[in-house]
Amino acid sequence: MTELSPAETEEQGFSGVPQHFGLIFAGLMTAMLLASLDQTIVSTALPTIVGELHGVNHMAWVTTAYILAATIAMPVYGRLGDLMGRKTLFLGAIVVFVAGSATAGMAQDMTVLIIGRAVQGLGGGGLMITAQAIIADLVPPRQRAKYMAPMGAVFGLSSVAGPLLGGWFTDGVGWRWAFWINLPLGALALAVAAFALRLPRRSVKVAVDYLGITLMAVAVTCTVLVADWGGTDYAWTDPLVLGLASGAVAAWALFLFSQSRAAEPIIPLRLFRSRIFNIATLLGMVVIGVGMFAVIGYMPTYLQMVYGKSATESGLLLIPMVVGIIATALPSGQLISRTGRYKIYPILGTAVAGVTVWLMSTLDTGSSIAVVCGYLFLLGAGVGLIMQNLVLAVQNAFPPSDVGTATSANNFFREIGATLGTAAVGAVFTHRLTDQLTSRLSAADAKVVGSTDSLTPALVHALPDKIQEAVILAYQQALTPVFRYMAPLFALGLVLAFLLPEKRLADGSGPGTDPVTPSAGDTGPDASEAAALRRK
């Protein structure tokens, strides 16, 4: 089926969900799951992959290539979707993602694998953004909350399921199936979208902002590499890290300047005139980008080192967080659809997440696994109240012509926040761990332990009891205080949540429209849109 013409769109009115929406939604969820899974699915398979392909020195790039490409692609897909329509872009993103998956699955060396992962990322970034924007095209704002909530739950599920699936494939049919599984599922999503998806067709001549895309790619690449390499592969004072940091600052400055001059900028500066966009984006960076990803990144290590759990067990112990996300995301979506109000949920979610992170800072070696799982559930419950509700608020703040752009920009900055936040937590954790091991181990004990860079859970729990206890205490004291350091960030997030303007979601006669009066302080593009609708 073809995309709808403007006349057909007006005739149908989109007063409710379109025909075949259940099938369309299943296809969108499948695409969202595949794209988000592939951010983490290789983490548990990496030791086997680099061993077979003889590329341990390039191991980090297997993950970094995907995240980097996906982050760069997000704003491009969002803006082009607004200008030229989303169906063709969505189908193209599926094809690119499947092609990258096939390349990675057939790789016989690390170079081809990394190229395949980068191509996957270019498609995956488009899938994540375009799927969310298509919901905005098809569903009026008030009903949209019911469908955005499951997408947020899928994103949370994939962050835990990815490592588990990667390990399962590696131990069973082989690590290549972590990529090959995307081929039949991607083909299914492609067939569903081609058959059932009908969207408004744009008639705008596209002027691609090539300069903006290039500057953004340079800025993101430098930022991600500083976060990944600084303090680990290279010292923070290393000329390479300093050069990358300088390049990031310069590229960001030039990028923002270019956006003020471009005919069709990738991230139009008018987005930042909306308080809803600014506050929701900052809140997502703080709570989701730093809070959730820091816990996902370092709790498995904590569980393995302190409790002696295996890699698979530590992954399974994160399931309570996913249960918490689902337990609050789905009901809050239903309630938002009934009331048209969303502001209370980010407030409650930030408060719950902030209190939980502080509680996690009180964990010690005597805390039971049940307590840890309880805290993970509470953190997930807080995140579930926030994640997709912020995207919904951003979408509702802009007219249909900017929905994809606003959605992609919000996700783009959240990804940047996740990268920087995880790197910052890792740097603090590593510094504290070194200090703790130095203070707790004598020179003789240190010789028994060997290089701290080579410590594994199996080695730690094979040490003599006295030394083992010292190392476990070092890990516990290195990580749990870091959670306490994060508490002020969540306090800032709570302030931002209270400051978030609320623009009530309307049933609307068309996707993305809201004829109600915007709340005080909301001076972005949405205000003029609402005023125009009232005059009509």
Side-chain angles (χ1 to χ4, degrees), residues 105-473:
M106 294 184 293
Q108 298 300 314
D109 57 61
M110 287 296 289
T111 300
V112 175
L113 176 64
I114 292 168
I115 291 172
R117 289 288 287 164
V119 174
Q120 266 193 307
L122 291 175
L127 294 179
M128 286 187 279
I129 294 305
T130 312
Q132 296 177 74
I134 286 173
I135 294 295
D137 280 341
L138 297 178
V139 183
R142 189 150 167 176
Q143 296 183 47
R144 197 180 302 159
K146 295 184 294 187
Y147 303 103
M148 295 297 288
M151 285 193 164
V154 162
F155 190 82
L157 172 64
S158 65
S159 64
V160 175
L164 292 176
L165 279 175
W168 185 67
F169 282 129
T170 302
D171 294 337
V173 293
W175 61 265
R176 295 180 187 276
W177 275 96
F179 304 115
W180 287 339
I181 191 64
N182 294 329
L183 274 60
L185 293 177
L188 179 62
L190 184 68
V192 168
F195 166 75
L197 188 60
R198 305 185 72 192
L199 297 172
R201 188 167 53 239
R202 310 286 192 254
S203 58
V204 177
K205 183 178 180 181
V206 178
V208 180
D209 181 16
Y210 293 108
L211 176 61
I213 293 173
T214 301
L215 290 171
M216 179 191 66
V218 172
V220 171
T221 301
C222 290
T223 302
V224 169
L225 292 181
V226 168
D228 281 354
W229 291 350
T232 53
D233 297 318
Y234 302 93
W236 288 108
T237 55
D238 188 279
L240 178 61
V241 174
L242 293 176
L244 286 170
S246 300
V249 172
W252 281 118
L254 290 172
F255 170 68
L256 292 174
F257 178 75
S258 75
Q259 298 305 278
S260 67
R261 300 300 181 95
E264 293 293 348
I266 294 299
I267 301 181
L269 298 186
R270 64 176 177 272
L271 297 181
F272 301 100
R273 295 201 296 267
S274 170
R275 284 184 61 203
I276 293 177
F277 175 81
N278 292 335
I279 293 176
T281 300
L282 284 173
L283 186 54
M285 289 175 68
V286 169
V287 178
I288 309 299
V290 178
M292 184 178 116
F293 283 101
V295 171
I296 291 174
Y298 293 96
M299 277 307 292
T301 299
Y302 183 84
L303 290 167
Q304 291 175 50
M305 290 297 192
V306 175
Y307 290 93
K309 301 298 180 182
S310 68
T312 301
E313 289 172 333
S314 66
L316 290 171
L317 287 171
L318 292 179
I319 288 178
M321 185 173 70
V322 178
V323 175
I325 291 174
I326 295 172
T328 56
L330 300 185
S332 67
Q334 294 289 335
L335 289 171
I336 290 171
S337 289
R338 290 180 190 174
T339 64
R341 302 285 185 181
Y342 56 79
K343 180 172 179 173
I344 186 62
Y345 302 103
I347 293 174
L348 292 175
T350 305
V352 170
V355 170
T356 304
V357 167
W358 178 81
L359 288 172
M360 293 177 77
S361 73
T362 66
L363 292 171
D364 57 37
T365 54
S367 300
S368 69
I369 285 290
V371 170
V372 176
C373 289
Y375 291 166
L376 289 171
F377 173 84
L378 287 175
L379 181 65
V383 169
L385 291 168
I386 302 169
M387 185 179 291
Q388 291 304 105
N389 291 334
L390 292 178
V391 177
L392 179 66
V394 167
Q395 288 184 345
N396 190 58
F398 291 89
S401 59
D402 276 338
V403 161
T405 302
T407 302
S408 63
N410 177 265
N411 281 266
F412 172 76
F413 287 114
R414 189 175 70 186
E415 287 290 322
I416 297 295
T419 300
L420 296 178
T422 303
V425 170
V428 175
F429 169 66
T430 303
H431 178 72
R432 288 187 56 83
L433 179 61
T434 301
D435 289 346
Q436 287 287 323
L437 289 172
T438 301
S439 64
R440 293 178 183 276
L441 297 175
S442 65
D445 292 341
K447 288 182 179 180
V448 174
V449 172
S451 172
T452 56
D453 291 335
S454 302
L455 277 178
T456 65
L459 287 175
V460 169
H461 293 279
L463 292 170
D465 290 345
K466 182 180 177 182
I467 301 176
Q468 180 186 131
E469 182 181 353
V471 173
I472 289 174
L473 281 171

Side-chain angles (χ1 to χ4, degrees), residues 36-47:
S36 51
L37 269 178
D38 271 74
Q39 292 187 88
T40 57
I41 198 169
V42 299
S43 58
T44 45
L46 272 178

